[in-house]
Amino acid sequence: MAEKKVLNTRILAHGIQKSYDDQMVLRGVDISVAQGQTLAIVGRSGCGKSTLLRCLSALEEPDDGDAFLDGQQYIESGETLFAPWEIRQNIVMVFQDYNLFPNMTGGRNITLALEKTKAISKAEAEQHARSIARKLGIEKALSRYPNTLSGGQAQRLALARAMVLQPKVLLLDEITSALDPETIINVVDAIRDLRSADTTGELTIILVTHLLRFASDFADRIAYMHDGVILEELPARDFFDSCARPETQSFVSAFRRPI
Amino acid sequence: MGYDWDFTVFQEYWAALLRGLWVTIHLSFLSSVIGTIIGFALGIFYRLKPLDRLLLPVNDVLRAIPMLVLMFFFYYFPYLQILGRRPPSAYFSALAALTLAQAVFTADLVRAAVDGVPTKTILGARSLGLREPTIWRYIILPDVTRQILPSLVAFFIGNIKLSSLASVIGVEDVVFVAKVAVGQRFRSLEAWVIVALVYVALVIPLSYLARKLEGSEWLRRRS
């Protein structure tokens, strides 16, 4: 019998609910991602994917639900148990629109949080920045300002800025959605580079994406979200063929059909 | 017909004029700088709820009062009767009035500009685990400064010109010296031409700076 490595659950969420005004966006979401694994969340626009990521990273407070990081509860019945910035030391998010600091060079975009949250020297932070920039192929962006960067470079910079903090969980919120097809490939490659740059093998990623093929290639598991709940979750390689719910099948078939 | 220009009658006033110029410069410079610093603090203070409801109307009232009236207020306030202390000098009264006006105008600009900082930039900062004071210092205030700097330069220019009102309460600035000179030499046109040129010389470099600022790359580094 093949030896099976037991993976610890890194992040676990249960029954996450969130409403805006009278609109219920999350209706009790459960997810569980093991250490070093990647979960891709797919689904139609407006199904609540991004809201879920915001709740997990304490950028929004859910109305109800529990969440645990490495077994430590940090959301209890919708209540955040730590200061939000404490949670975000471990759960870092990257956005569709990069959300870079426009008044700082690429290098400073990377070093600021490193210096402020890890209490390391400026010189050391700059060294880390150069190293991550090299891995992601954006050395030139270090001395430039965000408004002079292409979309692909900007998103790589946003990834570098998040990765250099060595978070336990990286949340990627539709990070390719604002980009043209060629640049998407560029950024997808960057995410792959990130994976291989993670020597500990512990980096856990939850990514929300419209790119089903990338999800099935890159992620370990794919969850299909529909109307505020996760309808089904499957190993990525089985997702296309084994999804059982009609909503999922219809979503998947849209990717197969030529436009 | 024709006017017989004669600037020579003012020869003995040059020294006084230079002293007046110096008063104009530091009166407008000090009030601009101190007022801006206080205004920044006030503008951030006004963001705190429920202070904003209480303080914003006060800010609006103060902004509505003309500069000359503010100067009269600080100069003629019955300090002895109400505060039990000697009244301040005319210079200090004018400085207080100009500083107060600069502060309340800046406060209002800052308050509005904080709302203008793009949410996504702040979210980006939060998502990296930065704490709010750090976000204010490195993200919000630099952006606010970029937003309001052109208006601040316009205020500085306004302060140079408004400082001329201080002569009314007896501050010996350029205008005060000119009034004395006119009273003694009756060469009104020449005197005011000189005064006008002094102000032009003070303001033009700032206008130039403002124009440079408009096109600057630095100012555009906001999303």
Side-chain angles (χ1 to χ4, degrees):
Chain A
M1 211 163 79
E3 210 178 335
K4 204 175 170 188
K5 202 177 162 193
V6 181
L7 295 168
N8 296 323
T9 303
R10 170 127 287 174
I11 186 164
L12 177 88
H14 177 70
I16 301 287
Q17 293 187 15
K18 177 75 187 173
S19 303
Y20 294 110
D21 301 325
D22 284 338
Q23 179 109 13
M24 204 159 179
V25 182
L26 300 177
R27 304 165 182 272
V29 176
D30 304 334
I31 59 153
S32 166
V33 190
Q35 212 172 59
Q37 296 277 295
T38 298
L39 172 71
I41 302 175
V42 298
R44 294 197 170 82
S45 301
C47 70
K49 302 171 300 226
S50 295
T51 307
L52 175 64
L53 294 195
R54 283 163 187 267
C55 287
L56 291 177
S57 62
L59 287 172
E60 303 237 16
E61 195 159 62
D63 301 331
D64 198 12
D66 304 304
F68 301 81
L69 182 72
D70 284 340
Q72 163 97 58
Q73 185 158 21
Y74 71 95
I75 298 175
E76 186 179 356
S77 308
E79 197 102 4
T80 310
L81 301 178
F82 296 87
W85 59 267
E86 281 180 293
I87 295 167
R88 297 182 209 122
Q89 303 291 309
N90 293 311
I91 305 177
V92 170
M93 180 136 145
V94 180
F95 301 85
Q96 178 175 345
D97 299 322
Y98 338 124
N99 299 26
L100 297 168
F101 308 139
N103 55 326
M104 298 174 195
T105 61
R108 190 68 179 134
N109 263 276
I110 298 177
T111 55
L112 179 68
L114 200 52
E115 261 177 54
K116 299 295 165 190
T117 66
K118 307 279 181 203
I120 62 169
S121 73
K122 195 166 182 166
E124 208 179 328
E126 279 165 3
Q127 210 172 337
H128 283 296
R130 273 193 298 275
S131 151
I132 191 90
R134 203 174 311 122
K135 281 173 188 154
L136 291 178
I138 47 163
E139 292 106 317
K140 282 183 186 148
L142 289 179
S143 56
R144 292 171 54 185
Y145 285 87
N147 61 356
T148 66
L149 299 177
S150 69
Q153 288 173 312
Q155 197 54 284
R156 278 177 176 251
L157 180 58
L159 282 169
R161 183 175 82 159
M163 261 309 282
V164 80
L165 300 170
Q166 297 187 296
K168 289 182 171 173
V169 181
L170 189 62
L171 306 176
L172 307 179
D173 187 12
E174 304 205 18
I175 62 164
T176 56
S177 299
L179 305 171
D180 60 76
E182 205 182 328
T183 315
I184 289 176
I185 295 172
N186 183 295
V187 168
V188 164
D189 285 344
I191 302 172
R192 290 210 167 88
D193 291 347
L194 276 186
R195 247 288 166 251
S196 38
D198 169 42
T199 46
T200 60
E202 284 189 5
L203 175 67
T204 304
I205 299 177
I206 301 179
L207 65 101
V208 158
T209 182
H210 282 121
L211 303 174
L212 200 48
R213 201 167 308 278
F214 168 60
S216 66
D217 247 25
F218 178 74
D220 298 291
R221 300 181 67 82
I222 298 179
Y224 180 73
M225 197 163 172
H226 182 82
D227 199 15
V229 287
I230 287 178
L231 279 186
E232 58 186 322
E233 191 191 313
L234 294 161
R237 69 184 97 80
D238 303 335
F239 187 76
F240 275 88
D241 300 321
S242 308
C243 59
R245 299 289 298 250
E247 294 91 342
T248 320
Q249 285 171 347
S250 135
F251 181 78
V252 167
S253 69
F255 281 87
R256 288 190 166 142
R257 207 180 60 211
I259 296 167
Chain B
M1 271 218 318
Y3 186 72
D4 196 12
W5 291 86
D6 181 11
F7 286 97
T8 56
V9 297
F10 293 114
Q11 262 163 2
E12 58 194 275
Y13 294 97
W14 284 120
L17 192 72
L18 278 181
R19 280 198 302 274
L21 172 65
W22 180 235
V23 171
T24 296
I25 288 173
H26 61 73
L27 182 58
S28 43
F29 178 79
L30 282 181
S31 59
S32 296
V33 171
I34 301 171
T36 301
I37 293 169
I38 298 174
F40 253 93
L42 277 180
I44 296 166
F45 199 57
Y46 289 167
R47 306 282 311 169
L48 306 172
K49 302 206 157 93
L51 279 179
D52 53 343
R53 296 193 159 224
L54 221 68
L55 293 176
L56 275 183
V58 178
N59 205 74
D60 287 340
V61 167
L62 288 174
R63 285 199 305 152
I65 302 173
M67 180 55 66
L68 191 57
V69 179
L70 278 180
M71 286 185 182
F72 283 154
F73 175 81
F74 279 107
Y75 189 60
Y76 293 116
F77 186 85
Y79 291 92
L80 206 55
Q81 291 88 327
I82 293 180
L83 297 174
R85 51 188 307 162
R86 288 180 46 210
S89 65
Y91 176 83
F92 190 83
S93 304
L95 181 64
L98 284 164
T99 305
L100 177 69
Q102 175 73 23
V104 290
F105 271 103
T106 307
D108 203 54
L109 283 178
V110 168
R111 186 193 54 78
V114 171
D115 281 330
V117 180
T119 321
K120 63 177 187 178
T121 312
I122 297 172
L123 273 183
R126 287 198 183 129
S127 74
L128 298 174
L130 291 173
R131 300 164 74 163
E132 295 304 312
T134 312
I135 297 176
W136 272 88
R137 177 168 166 205
Y138 291 93
I139 314 294
I140 298 179
L141 291 182
D143 193 273
V144 164
T145 306
R146 281 174 174 79
Q147 287 184 63
I148 71 172
L149 200 61
S151 309
L152 283 182
V153 174
F155 279 162
F156 293 169
I157 290 173
N159 277 347
I160 292 176
K161 297 195 278 182
L162 282 173
S163 72
S164 62
L165 293 171
S167 63
V168 176
I169 54 172
V171 175
E172 294 174 18
D173 72 333
V174 183
V175 171
F176 186 89
V177 173
K179 277 199 289 192
V180 172
V182 169
Q184 294 171 349
R185 291 287 182 272
F186 312 109
R187 280 283 174 178
S188 174
L189 181 61
E190 284 87 340
W192 297 118
V193 164
I194 292 169
V195 169
L197 288 177
V198 166
Y199 281 98
V200 167
L202 286 176
V203 167
I204 290 288
L206 276 176
S207 302
Y208 181 74
L209 174 76
R211 191 126 348 116
K212 286 282 275 192
L213 209 57
E214 273 171 34
S216 88
E217 189 56 39
W218 180 85
L219 209 63
R220 276 200 292 274
R221 281 179 195 142
R222 44 187 317 268
S223 39

